[in-house]
Amino acid sequence: MQVSDIFRFKNAEIKALHLTWIAFFISFYVWFNMAPLASSMLRSVDWLTREDLRLFAIANVALTIPARIIVGMALDRFGPRRVFSVLMVLMAVPTFVFAFGDTREVLFMSRLVLSSIGASFVVGIHMTALWFKPRDIGFAEGFYAGWGNFGSAAAAITLPTIALTLYGGDDGWRYAIATSGVVMAAYGVFYWFAITDGPSADTHKKPRKASALEVSSWRDLVLLCIFTVPMVGILSILVYRVQMMGYIDPMTAVFIHAAIAIVVTWQVWQAIRVNVPILKRGVPEDDKYPFSSVAALNATYFANFGAELAVVSMLPMFFEETWGLTAAAAGLIAASFAFVNLFARPMGGLVSDRFGNRRFVMLAYMFGIAIGFVLMGLLNSNWPLIIAIAITIMCSFFVQGAEGATFGIIPSIKRRVTGQISGMAGAYGNVGAVFYLFVFMFVTPQQFFFIIAAGALISWVICYLWLKEPEGGFGDEYIISSVDREIALEAAEKKAAMSEVEKVFAKSVKVELTDRGGEVHLKAQFKSINDLRAALAGLDGAARTAG
């Protein structure tokens, strides 16, 4: 795929790419619509503090973690078109609640729920993987994510103007946020009718079990259980901070911690319940994949996207206080970190496609992140501002490129469970953000940058040891295993059986055919007993004819 191909709008896959990155752009715009209006919020009400806004910043990425897991499972079952549309419409509700909330508790809870919109990222990743071939997936995923991620910079640049100029007054920020919610809901409805899940009806491959990720060995099952714990367990950090600020009492905190422990235990149990029968039965050689590669990419996304979310949240204040800039100037300079997304992330995917070794590209980018944040940790007021900006852009270049390289690998690991792998890796980006933002409460900005650099270096080591070059990562088509073909055959047989059942029960209101516990269940609804009798008579007649 050439860069110029993105202007071939008549091509079905290019049209799908543009429709999807716009959906993600709008989602990201709404996700980060608070930070640019923080000062306006503080001026308009007297019951908000800067500490409240810092807490809201953590809440803004918190539920994205479990949401990405849930969305990942929904993707593999329902497909990205339905999931993306429903997610955008549903998340408009907490956007409106936040816009017009009149207590800090309402703002906190609505922001917490709204953080689920961050799961939109993995939806588009899955949709893009359905439309593009393995040899082109790196650039396509990078373009989707890079231009979609720019929504955060667009929000920082445009929302203050919309709030102050278009609406004005103390409540201008409220109407600006509400407007972004209206646009998101409207596009969600449009997206439902504008796109399909891949170029053909059978492009979307479903796993047998969507409740947990399938693995290929007992060792992989242990790794899956270990990597499952932080995805929800990290929320304990948010609960601790909420309690310290007086939002909840200690007893409530204990109950929430217990609930988190129950959810983590349930997720681990699901992983065991789904995979033990599969492993006992034996996984065919052509269906195996290395979960260690998934674990390595979880670590990379923790270190790159987690760092991006955390740094974007603190960078404006860092420039403002270190070089004595105005809030507007500091915000504009800080926006350069996200602005780089427009070309750096697509380039990361393109380099991954062209270089011929996705693993090496991943390692190179992660090493660049470590060096970049070490340099940022050395910055202080003695450094010329222009040099500080250059280092920030350079560091961002490696961060965004590493994100593109990460998702240039994921679709080739295991086609059937791409949604769940994307959901897990994406969740680890938010695990990193929550962890880094929590650490930032106790350290200086310079120490914070050094800590992120250390995280990138640890991720590099994990990648070096665990990441495998994906098989068929540069082919014309994704590898289809014997199990994939078996599942496709089962789906075709079920479709044929459903067609026969619908003919027999033609007078029914609704007919469902489901698999439960190895058994086939038939459910039919009728308007009246006479319709039921007619259907049974027809069934009896068909049986006699067959006999």
Side-chain angles (χ1 to χ4, degrees):
M1 182 178 179
Q2 305 295 323
V3 175
S4 59
D5 289 341
I6 62 174
F7 299 107
R8 301 182 187 276
F9 301 108
K10 291 183 179 180
N11 289 3
E13 66 271 18
I14 300 301
K15 178 183 176 183
L17 177 61
H18 287 296
L19 287 171
T20 303
W21 81 255
I22 292 172
F24 182 42
F25 175 94
I26 295 171
S27 300
F28 234 64
Y29 189 98
V30 173
W31 192 13
F32 288 96
N33 62 12
M34 182 190 74
L37 302 173
S39 57
S40 298
M41 293 171 65
L42 289 174
R43 286 194 300 268
S44 68
V45 296
D46 57 5
W47 39 266
L48 271 182
T49 67
R50 295 176 73 89
E51 285 299 308
D52 289 324
L53 293 180
R54 287 186 178 182
L55 180 63
F56 296 167
I58 299 178
N60 199 47
V61 297
L63 286 192
T64 307
I65 301 167
R68 287 191 173 189
I69 302 304
I70 295 170
V71 164
M73 292 187 291
L75 277 174
D76 288 329
R77 183 169 183 179
F78 301 110
R81 177 184 66 90
R82 295 176 180 177
V83 174
F84 217 148
S85 297
V86 171
L87 185 65
M88 294 180 80
V89 172
L90 284 181
M91 287 300 104
V93 176
T95 306
F96 299 145
V97 174
F98 183 83
F100 301 109
D102 55 2
T103 68
R104 66 175 192 163
E105 289 77 16
V106 169
L107 294 183
F108 171 76
M109 290 304 300
S110 58
R111 205 74 221 176
L112 189 64
V113 175
L114 181 56
S115 65
S116 300
I117 192 60
S120 60
F121 170 71
V122 299
V123 187
I125 285 290
H126 192 56
M127 177 66 87
T128 306
L130 293 178
W131 278 96
F132 287 86
K133 298 181 184 301
R135 64 170 183 265
D136 300 324
I137 195 64
F139 177 70
E141 301 280 29
F143 183 85
Y144 155 77
W147 282 66
N149 274 5
F150 184 68
S152 61
I157 295 169
T158 62
L159 278 173
T161 302
I162 293 172
L164 298 175
T165 305
L166 182 61
Y167 292 113
D170 289 339
D171 291 333
W173 67 272
R174 296 184 183 274
Y175 295 114
I177 288 176
T179 300
S180 68
V182 170
V183 173
M184 181 171 68
Y187 195 85
V189 174
F190 167 76
Y191 193 79
W192 179 283
F193 298 101
I195 199 169
T196 58
D197 291 330
S200 62
D202 62 344
T203 304
H204 176 59
K205 307 294 183 184
K206 296 183 180 181
R208 279 200 174 101
K209 300 289 185 180
S211 53
L213 181 63
E214 298 173 19
V215 295
S216 305
S217 69
W218 295 104
R219 175 182 177 274
D220 287 352
L221 178 56
V222 173
L223 273 179
L224 173 62
C225 292
I226 291 171
F227 274 84
T228 295
V229 174
M231 291 191 296
V232 176
I234 194 72
L235 296 179
S236 294
I237 286 178
L238 176 63
V239 176
Y240 167 78
R241 186 59 184 171
V242 169
Q243 180 192 346
M244 291 297 99
M245 293 186 63
Y247 278 72
I248 57 175
D249 57 64
M251 184 57 68
T252 302
V254 169
F255 280 116
I256 298 176
H257 282 300
I260 291 172
I262 291 171
V263 172
V264 169
T265 303
W266 179 81
Q267 285 192 311
V268 171
W269 166 244
Q270 284 291 94
I272 295 171
R273 184 184 66 82
V274 166
N275 283 287
V276 166
I278 294 173
L279 296 176
K280 283 184 176 179
R281 189 166 56 246
V283 180
E285 284 299 319
D286 70 341
D287 197 54
K288 291 182 178 180
Y289 74 96
F291 181 79
S292 59
S293 289
V294 179
L297 295 175
N298 290 344
T300 66
Y301 218 60
F302 178 104
N304 52 52
F305 190 65
E308 179 187 353
L309 292 181
V311 169
V312 165
S313 300
M314 54 75 67
L315 207 54
M317 187 173 293
F318 170 70
F319 275 103
E320 184 177 349
E321 294 180 349
T322 304
W323 282 276
L325 305 175
T326 64
L332 190 60
I333 292 172
S336 64
F337 197 91
F339 186 85
V340 175
N341 259 311
L342 288 176
F343 61 89
R345 188 153 184 168
M347 184 176 291
L350 185 62
V351 171
S352 182
D353 288 342
R354 297 287 179 81
F355 196 78
N357 188 323
R358 297 190 190 277
R359 178 177 179 271
F360 177 83
V361 172
M362 189 77 258
L363 289 169
Y365 269 115
M366 294 311 299
F367 191 76
I369 292 175
I371 298 299
F373 277 114
V374 166
L375 292 175
M376 288 190 72
L378 297 174
L379 294 177
N380 56 48
S381 58
N382 294 324
W383 287 64
L385 180 59
I386 188 65
I387 299 297
I389 294 172
I391 290 175
T392 299
I393 292 174
M394 182 273 290
C395 184
S396 179
F397 176 84
F398 282 103
V399 170
Q400 322 296 351
E403 293 166 8
T406 298
F407 280 89
I409 296 175
I410 282 177
S412 298
I413 292 178
K414 189 63 183 172
R415 175 71 160 172
R416 190 171 68 247
V417 289
T418 295
Q420 288 168 288
I421 295 175
S422 297
M424 176 175 265
Y428 261 86
N430 287 82
V431 171
V434 172
F435 175 78
Y436 285 139
L437 285 170
F438 178 74
V439 169
F440 182 58
M441 295 178 177
F442 309 102
V443 298
T444 65
Q446 285 77 14
Q447 292 170 332
F448 181 63
F449 293 135
F450 285 134
I451 290 169
I452 293 178
L457 193 58
I458 292 171
S459 172
W460 184 91
V461 173
I462 294 173
C463 270
Y464 182 80
L465 296 175
W466 283 358
L467 184 61
K468 310 295 183 185
E469 184 69 18
E471 186 180 353
F474 298 96
D476 288 331
E477 300 294 342
Y478 291 96
I479 293 175
I480 302 298
S481 72
S482 57
V483 175
D484 292 321
R485 289 190 288 271
E486 201 176 296
I487 293 174
L489 180 60
E490 289 174 1
E493 290 176 346
K494 182 179 177 181
K495 185 176 180 180
M498 189 65 187
S499 179
E500 293 176 12
V501 168
E502 287 175 345
K503 289 179 182 178
V504 173
F505 295 100
K507 292 188 176 182
S508 65
V509 177
K510 184 180 181 182
V511 180
E512 291 181 1
L513 201 63
T514 56
D515 297 318
R516 294 179 186 173
E519 299 176 344
V520 178
H521 290 245
L522 173 64
K523 180 181 178 182
Q525 297 178 11
F526 297 87
K527 291 182 179 179
S528 66
I529 193 70
N530 289 331
D531 286 345
L532 173 59
R533 285 173 177 165
L536 291 174
L539 184 61
D540 183 54
R544 288 179 181 177
T545 302

